[in-house]
Amino acid sequence: MMALTVSTAHFDRLVTAFRVPLFPEQASTHAPNVDALYFFMLAVCGGVSISIVLLILFFAVKYRRRTPDQLAEEAHVPIALEWAWIIIPSLFFMSFFGWGAWLYFQDAKAPQDALEIACTGRQWMWKFQHPDGQREINTLHVPVGKPVKLVMVSEDVIHSMFVPAFRIHMDVIPKRYTEVWFQATKPGTYHMFCSQYCGTEHANMIGSVIALEPHEYQTWLNGAATGSLALRGEALFNKLACNGCHTGDAEARGPYLPGLYGRNVQLTTGEVIVADENYIRESIIKPGVKIAAGYDNIMPGYDGQLTEEQIIELVAYIKHLGKKYDQFEPVAPPTAPAPRPAGQDPDQTLPIGNVRPSVPAEQVPTPTSPAATPAVPGSRPTSN
Ligand SMILES: [Cu+2]
């Protein structure tokens, strides 16, 4: 009995020492959903594979050749059986697609109130900038229980943000913003990896996500404050003399920027696009690519002259202007929606984002409050 107890203890120690977790822990709201789909696929594929092997063995024995001169006979399978084994497995396998698409759409769009953190990948580190200006390298502090959206861009090659415990994974690409969001469910420190082979030191491109209780996160924020992203963006905006053209006057040579973010913009080509982060970014780097209707292609591009962090600051400032604009915007009287031609998508011409959906982009009322006396988006088409 004694010998048995000792050997069990030894065995336990051995197992503990060599135990490799089969699955990372579940630390986000996505994790249980992703795992459920994963186990469902595993069960269906495993079940089908095992059934096929067992049936092969069973038939091989049952229908084996019993005498040397026995010949094979042609079998007549009922047509209903043929349909059954085509349709039933197809439905099972299509369920992967259905479930996966449902999960994808659920996880693709961050909630409106998500905390937005800018992330820059470069060979070989992760840099993060919080909305209040805190910067971190290879460490990301986030609050538990609040959706967090990472807006990511690469300074060089393609990287990929991977946090196994959160079950999130998204490529980080040069010259374009990609997004991923998560909501941590329990405090802790979780691995963060680059999962795209990005050069010789790719394996060192690792870090930690530190999920903190909201009050601890607030304490951390207070300790690390360095002036907000938008404030730094504003300083840069003025330093680069952007305010020389984007004056907000009716005669300004550049479009009026407050309220631009999330709004529909008409281009000189007649195309209407949404002014999202990628559009604002492109308009800073290569302003000639998409010119707002009513303006000339006179802005110099800043390709190669700004770091990704500086571009993030400028974008943050321009987005912030949108919020400011919303505060000053007079409440538009509720108007009955104009009749639309049959077949037209009612949402097609409506702006998105922080703009009231009842005010179409082309008909934004002119603000009358002193803070918003400059021209408004819509008095001339807004962009660039
Ligand atoms: Cu990388």
Side-chain angles (χ1 to χ4, degrees), residues 34 46 100 113 145 159 166 173 202 223 232 234 237 258 287 296 347 350 352 363-364 375:
V34 173
D113 61 337
H159 302 279
F166 294 169
I173 300 168
H202 159 70
R232 286 211 296 267
E234 183 174 24
F237 188 84
D296 297 323
D347 292 325
L350 291 180
I352 61 158
Q363 301 164 18
V364 176

Side-chain angles (χ1 to χ4, degrees), residues 182-244:
F182 57 85
Q183 181 172 328
T185 48
K186 55 182 179 180
T189 302
Y190 307 103
H191 288 298
M192 170 207 301
F193 297 106
C194 173
S195 63
Q196 189 77 249
Y197 180 69
C198 56
T200 49
E201 287 176 50
H202 159 70
N204 291 332
M205 197 165 162
I206 51 177
S208 308
V209 182
I210 300 174
L212 300 170
E213 291 291 0
H215 66 274
E216 290 172 333
Y217 176 71
Q218 201 50 49
T219 311
W220 177 83
L221 277 184
N222 295 342
T226 58
S228 83
L229 264 190
L231 266 179
R232 286 211 296 267
E234 183 174 24
L236 188 59
F237 188 84
N238 297 334
K239 189 175 151 203
L240 297 170
C242 311
N243 52 0

